[in-house]
Amino acid sequence: MSGWVKLTKQFTNDELWFNVTAFRLYVWILLKAAYADGIVLNGMKLKKGQYVRAYSQLGEDLMYIEGRAKKALDKSTVKRAVDKLVKKGLLMAEETSLGTLFTVVNSDDFKCLDGTGDFFCPPFRETDVEHPENDNKTELEQNKRNQEFKNVINNDQHPHPENGKNRSHERQEKTENQKCPVSSDNNAEEREKRIERVANRFITLRNNGVFLNRKDELAIERICELHLKIEQLESLLEEVFCEHRRRNPNGKINSALYCEKVIKTILDAEKNSKQPKKTKKESMTDRVERLIQKGKIILQEESQ
């Protein structure tokens, strides 16, 4: 999910700060929760501040490093952390068929700077700066600022010949730089929609839970990087599942990594089939026999 969240400095003064698991879990849910109504996650339409996830998956999400190994949290540990957050009034937890539905509560203990307790902000939001009516600037500072403003206007109206070209070049570069993020943002949004669509299609075909582990997520991302249309990727996924059911009527596909390998094998086979086959060099004996069969060479019988 895109978007961003606001956190208050009060966190460092609360007992939650000293409970590592509960604090990490709370921040994780804040970062993953929907920032607006109507966002769909794993087939569930969420409201603002909601997030759906299984306890076992949360244990993997909150994985930590001990020594040289990564360790996931136990399901019971995650459950105790959730209970603490619910008891503190920061979360509401509801069991559903798709997992546990978490709802972030606007707690009075952790209000943001604007006093609303609204942690969630849409992606790439621009903050409007409000200027107070009664500015506390002194008259001297105000006059100095006005003079600087006049100097800028005069420089624009009467540019120096030696730097007029550079200033025009700077404006052009500024305009080009402003265009780049828009294109990048659009590409990122399209990529996210492409990944979400393929992931939902894989979950539907798998028909065994709605959650993906990290390996499956990475495999789906690599599948989406193939230079194919989204409809072609979905068709390839269906082909993989149909062929697997044909060969193994009682078997199931649970890994997106398996689908990735099969899809790449199919694409490689199609690529090789389109390449022209090398003709086998004909030997002299084979050539003579071929010409005899066509009647272009007639052998005379030896006279006795």
Side-chain angles (χ1 to χ4, degrees), residues 23-116:
F23 177 75
R24 291 185 68 217
L25 175 62
Y26 184 60
V27 173
W28 175 267
I29 294 177
L30 274 178
L31 294 174
K32 292 294 184 179
Y35 64 83
D37 295 340
I39 294 179
V40 179
L41 177 63
N42 294 332
M44 177 178 288
K45 194 172 184 180
L46 303 177
K47 295 181 180 180
K48 184 177 181 179
Q50 289 187 335
Y51 178 59
V52 59
R53 196 70 164 166
Y55 285 119
S56 58
Q57 295 294 327
L58 285 173
E60 294 182 2
D61 296 335
L62 300 178
M63 191 176 293
Y64 61 97
I65 296 178
E66 184 175 305
R68 294 185 178 180
K70 290 184 178 181
K71 290 189 177 181
L73 296 179
D74 295 334
K75 183 178 179 181
S76 59
T77 303
V78 177
K79 183 66 169 61
R80 286 194 298 269
V82 170
D83 292 341
K84 288 181 181 180
L85 295 174
V86 172
K87 186 177 180 180
K88 193 172 179 60
L90 299 177
L91 290 180
M92 289 192 300
E94 178 186 354
E95 298 298 330
T96 68
S97 59
L98 299 177
T100 304
L101 178 64
F102 299 98
T103 303
V104 178
V105 180
N106 292 334
S107 172
D108 293 334
D109 295 334
F110 298 126
K111 283 188 178 296
C112 295
L113 296 177
D114 54 5
T116 61

Side-chain angles (χ1 to χ4, degrees), residues 10 30 38 53 59 74 116 137 141 158 228 252 256 270 276:
Q10 292 173 267
L30 274 178
R53 196 70 164 166
D74 295 334
T116 61
K137 297 290 183 181
E141 291 174 337
H158 306 284
L228 296 173
K252 291 183 178 180
E270 291 180 352

Side-chain angles (χ1 to χ4, degrees), residues 217-254:
E217 291 176 351
L218 293 175
I220 290 176
E221 289 180 5
R222 289 192 295 268
I223 291 174
C224 292
E225 290 174 357
L226 297 173
H227 297 289
L228 296 173
K229 295 182 178 180
I230 186 66
E231 293 80 6
Q232 292 175 310
L233 295 179
E234 291 179 330
S235 177
L236 284 172
L237 278 176
E238 294 174 359
E239 183 179 344
V240 172
F241 277 86
C242 289
E243 181 64 19
H244 188 271
R245 281 195 296 267
R246 187 182 68 83
R247 296 185 178 184
N248 306 284
N250 297 325
K252 291 183 178 180
I253 298 177
N254 293 319

Side-chain angles (χ1 to χ4, degrees), residues 124 126 169-186:
F124 315 115
E126 296 182 358
H169 183 66
E170 289 175 359
R171 289 197 190 100
Q172 183 179 359
E173 287 184 349
K174 185 177 180 181
T175 303
E176 293 177 354
N177 292 335
Q178 289 176 347
K179 293 180 180 179
C180 293
V182 176
S183 177
S184 178
D185 295 342
N186 290 338

